[in-house]
C-alpha cells in the first residue's frame, strides 16, 4: 500500500500566498485614527490587515465578547437554556456604567440578558450571567482566562467580565479577533442578538438601541461589540458579511466614536473590495477505490471537509486542484482512514491540502472467505 504524509494546514496558514497583513495595510492607502487594528476573514482565520496588533491595550466593553462566548458555549452545550431565569444579586445590580438598571432580586431570562449585553452593553446583565453560570464573577473570570489561553490569546489578561477599568485588564486587537472569530464561527445564533437595532425589555417598558451604529448604517453588518472608557477610548469588533464572506474588523483606541466607526468601515470596505472566498471541489466525483482481500471489493472516498479558499479578487480563475488516491489498498480499511489528498493551488502555489478519507470500513476476508471467493471465480470461469 502506498504511504501518504500530509501537512495539515493550521487556519492561519491558509492565507499563504497573500501579502503579509502589515504590508497590506501599508499598501492599502488607508488612513486610520486608531492605535491598533486587525482585519480578519472568519472562515480561514486569515489576517488581511493589521497594525500594532499585539499591543496590549484596555478593551473596555469589547471584553464582553469573551463573556458572550462562554455563555453561548454553555447554551449550545445544553448547560444553560435561553428560558432559564437569572436572579440578580446586589453585586450585579450595583455595577454601574452601561446598564439596564437591574434591581436586586429581579429575574430575567438568559435570552433577555444576552440581548442587553449585546445591544446596550449592560454591565449588570454581564455580571448576573457570570454569577449564574459560574457562581461568582471571580470564578467566571478564571474561566475567561482559561478560554483565552485555549484560543492562543497570549496578549490577554481579564480581571472582570465587563471591561470596566481595572489595572492590568488588557488584550490586543489580535486577540480580540481570535475570540470574535470563535464566537461567530461556532455560535452563529449570537447573530439573533447582535443584529438588533432597536428593541425593548420588561414588556416594552425599557427601550434598547444598539451601541453599534453599523448595524443600522453598514450593509451586511452582523455584529459585534463596542466599548468605551476614558482610558481605553473608543474600541470595537465589527463583523459584516457580503457574498458569503464574513470579515472581522477590530479597532482599538480611536479618539472619538465617529472615528471608531469610520476606521471599522474603512477596514471592512477594503476587505470586501479586495478579497473573496471561493468554494473548491474536485474536478470529478471521487471514484471508489479498489480494496485487495476486502469483504467488499471497493471503498468510497470522501473529502474530510469542505474547502473554501480565500483569494484576492481576480485570482478566482487561477484556482486548480490535484487529486491523489492510494493504489493497491489492502484490507482491513478503517472508516476515516486516509486514502489520499486533494491539493488546491492558486497558480503554481499550494494553498490548501484536504485529506481524503474512507467513508466506511472494509473488513479483511477470512481464510474461508478467500477460498470461497476463489471457488466462485473458478465456477464462473467454468
Amino acid at each position: 500500500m502506498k504511504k501518504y504524509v500530509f501537512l495539515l494546514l493550521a487556519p492561519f496558514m491558509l492565507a499563504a500566498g497573500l501579502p503579509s497583513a502589515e504590508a497590506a495595510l501599508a499598501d492599502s492607502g488607508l488612513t486610520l485614527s486608531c492605535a491598533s487594528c486587525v482585519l480578519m476573514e472568519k472562515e480561514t482565520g486569515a489576517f488581511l490587515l493589521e497594525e500594532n496588533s499585539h499591543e496590549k491595550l484596555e478593551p473596555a466593553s469589547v471584553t464582553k465578547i469573551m463573556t458572550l462566548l462562554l455563555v453561548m458555549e454553555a447554551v449550545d452545550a445544553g448547560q444553560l437554556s435561553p428560558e432559564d431565569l437569572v436572579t440578580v444579586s446586589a453585586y450585579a445590580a450595583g455595577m454601574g456604567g452601561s446598564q439596564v438598571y437591574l434591581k436586586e432580586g429581579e429575574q430575567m431570562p438568559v435570552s433577555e440578558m444576552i440581548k442587553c449585553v449585546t445591544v446596550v452593553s449592560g454591565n449588570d446583565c454581564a455580571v448576573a450571567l457570570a454569577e449564574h453560570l459560574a457562581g461568582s464573577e471571580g470564578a467566571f473570570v478564571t474561566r475567561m482566562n482559561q478560554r483565552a489561553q485555549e484560543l492562543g490569546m497570549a496578549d490577554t489578561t481579564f480581571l472582570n467580565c465587563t471591561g470596566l477599568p481595572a489595572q492590568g485588564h488588557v488584550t490586543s486587537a489580535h486577540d480580540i479577533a481570535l475570540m470574535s472569530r470563535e464566537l461567530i464561527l461556532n455560535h452563529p445564533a449570537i447573530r439573533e442578538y447582535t443584529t438588533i437595532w432597536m428593541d425593548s425589555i420588561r414588556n416594552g417598558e425599557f427601550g434598547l438601541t444598539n451601541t453599534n451604529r453599523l448595524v443600522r448604517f453598514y450593509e451586511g453588518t452582523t455584529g459585534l461589540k463596542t466599548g468605551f472608557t476614558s482610558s481605553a477610548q473608543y474600541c470595537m469588533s465589527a463583523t459584516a458579511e457580503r457574498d458569503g464572506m464574513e470579515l472581522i474588523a477590530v479597532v482599538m483606541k480611536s479618539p472619538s466614536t465617529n472615528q471608531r466607526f469610520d476606521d471599522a468601515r474603512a477596514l471592512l470596505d477594503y476587505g470586501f473590495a479586495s478579497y473573496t472566498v471561493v468554494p473548491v471541489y474536485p474536478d470529478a466525483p471521487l471514484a471508489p477505490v479498489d480494496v485487495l482481500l476486502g469483504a467488499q471489493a471497493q471503498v468510497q472516498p470522501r473529502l474530510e471537509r469542505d474547502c473554501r479558499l480565500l483569494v484576492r479578487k481576480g485570482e478566482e480563475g487561477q484556482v486548480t486542484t490535484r487529486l491523489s488516491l492510494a493504489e493497491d489498498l489492502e484490507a482491513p480499511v478503517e472508516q476515516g482512514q486516509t486514502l489520499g489528498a486533494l491539493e488546491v493551488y492558486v497558480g503554481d502555489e499550494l494553498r490548501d491540502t484536504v485529506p481524503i478519507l474512507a467513508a466506511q470500513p472494509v473488513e479483511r476476508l477470512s481464510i474461508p472467505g478467500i477460498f470461497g471467493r476463489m471457488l466462485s471465480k473458478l465456477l464462473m470461469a467454468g
Side-chain angles (χ1 to χ4, degrees):
M1 174 182 175
K2 283 189 176 179
K3 301 289 186 181
Y4 287 87
V5 179
F6 299 109
L7 175 64
L8 300 182
L9 301 177
F12 307 126
M13 293 301 294
L14 297 182
L18 302 177
S20 75
E22 297 92 337
L25 182 60
D27 294 340
S28 68
L30 297 181
T31 301
L32 305 176
S33 66
C34 55
S36 173
C37 70
V38 152
L39 179 66
M40 174 191 274
E41 193 278 318
K42 176 194 74 175
E43 196 160 343
T44 61
F47 288 93
L48 307 181
L49 296 175
E50 59 185 303
E51 184 173 34
N52 301 327
S53 61
H54 288 282
E55 184 176 352
K56 295 181 179 182
L57 297 168
E58 295 179 51
S61 285
V62 177
T63 296
K64 296 186 180 85
I65 293 172
M66 180 59 79
T67 303
L68 291 166
L69 174 59
L70 294 184
V71 170
M72 293 304 295
E73 286 179 341
V75 169
D76 289 345
Q79 300 164 0
L80 195 62
S81 169
E83 291 76 37
D84 288 348
L85 291 177
V86 178
T87 302
V88 180
S89 69
Y91 176 70
M95 270 301 102
S98 302
Q99 58 182 308
V100 295
Y101 303 98
L102 296 176
K103 304 296 183 184
E104 181 182 0
E106 182 177 356
Q107 291 188 315
M108 186 176 287
V110 166
S111 59
E112 293 283 89
M113 290 270 185
I114 295 172
K115 180 166 68 176
C116 292
V117 172
T118 56
V119 177
V120 296
S121 201
N123 293 320
D124 43 5
C125 290
V127 173
L129 284 167
E131 292 177 332
H132 184 78
L133 196 56
S136 69
E137 184 185 19
F140 188 83
V141 171
T142 297
R143 293 190 190 180
M144 292 172 68
N145 285 309
Q146 289 172 344
R147 195 71 182 95
Q149 289 183 351
E150 291 168 2
L151 292 174
M153 296 168 58
D155 306 323
T156 298
T157 301
F158 293 121
L159 297 178
N160 57 54
C161 69
T162 60
L164 287 168
Q167 187 66 37
H169 181 100
V170 294
T171 187
S172 66
H174 175 277
D175 286 5
I176 290 170
L178 293 183
M179 65 179 176
S180 299
R181 176 178 186 254
E182 183 69 18
L183 177 59
I184 65 174
L185 180 66
N186 294 316
H187 307 281
I190 195 65
R191 279 195 189 190
E192 299 172 17
Y193 306 98
T194 57
T195 55
I196 293 170
W197 173 236
M198 298 183 73
D199 207 326
S200 63
I201 55 172
R202 302 187 181 110
N203 297 316
E205 295 177 4
F206 190 93
L208 308 174
T209 301
N210 205 318
T211 58
N212 179 7
R213 69 173 66 161
L214 297 183
V215 169
R216 175 72 172 83
F217 298 107
Y218 189 80
E219 179 190 350
T221 295
T222 56
L224 188 60
K225 191 70 197 73
T226 61
F228 168 78
T229 65
S230 58
S231 52
Q233 297 188 302
Y234 294 88
C235 311
M236 80 176 305
S237 178
T239 58
E241 182 175 16
R242 294 181 186 174
D243 299 323
M245 180 175 72
E246 191 164 12
L247 300 177
I248 302 163
V250 180
V251 170
M252 298 192 75
K253 210 166 186 177
S254 279
S256 73
T257 184
N258 286 340
Q259 287 169 297
R260 165 181 60 187
F261 292 120
D262 287 346
D263 286 351
R265 189 181 293 108
L267 289 167
L268 293 169
D269 282 347
Y270 172 84
F272 288 126
S274 304
Y275 294 90
T276 188
V277 175
V278 295
V280 180
Y281 306 98
D283 293 334
L286 297 177
V289 177
D290 292 336
V291 181
L292 299 175
L293 302 178
Q296 291 82 41
Q298 295 180 319
V299 63
Q300 179 61 45
R302 66 171 180 85
L303 294 176
E304 181 186 56
R305 56 178 169 82
D306 291 336
C307 180
R308 284 167 52 82
L309 195 68
L310 176 71
V311 297
R312 284 173 284 189
K313 287 197 171 178
E315 289 184 336
E316 299 93 326
Q318 301 176 36
V319 177
T320 58
T321 61
R322 296 179 192 172
L323 182 66
S324 58
L325 279 173
E327 298 172 2
D328 302 324
L329 186 62
E330 186 174 315
V333 178
E334 296 180 2
Q335 184 171 351
Q337 180 176 323
T338 301
L339 304 181
L342 179 72
E343 295 180 337
V344 184
Y345 291 82
V346 177
D348 295 327
E349 181 175 25
L350 178 65
R351 289 282 185 90
D352 198 2
T353 300
V354 183
I356 297 173
L357 311 179
Q360 67 278 331
V362 178
E363 295 182 1
R364 189 179 179 89
L365 279 174
S366 64
I367 297 299
I370 293 173
F371 281 112
R373 182 173 288 183
M374 292 174 61
L375 180 61
S376 175
K377 287 183 178 180
L378 286 172
L379 291 173
M380 290 178 65

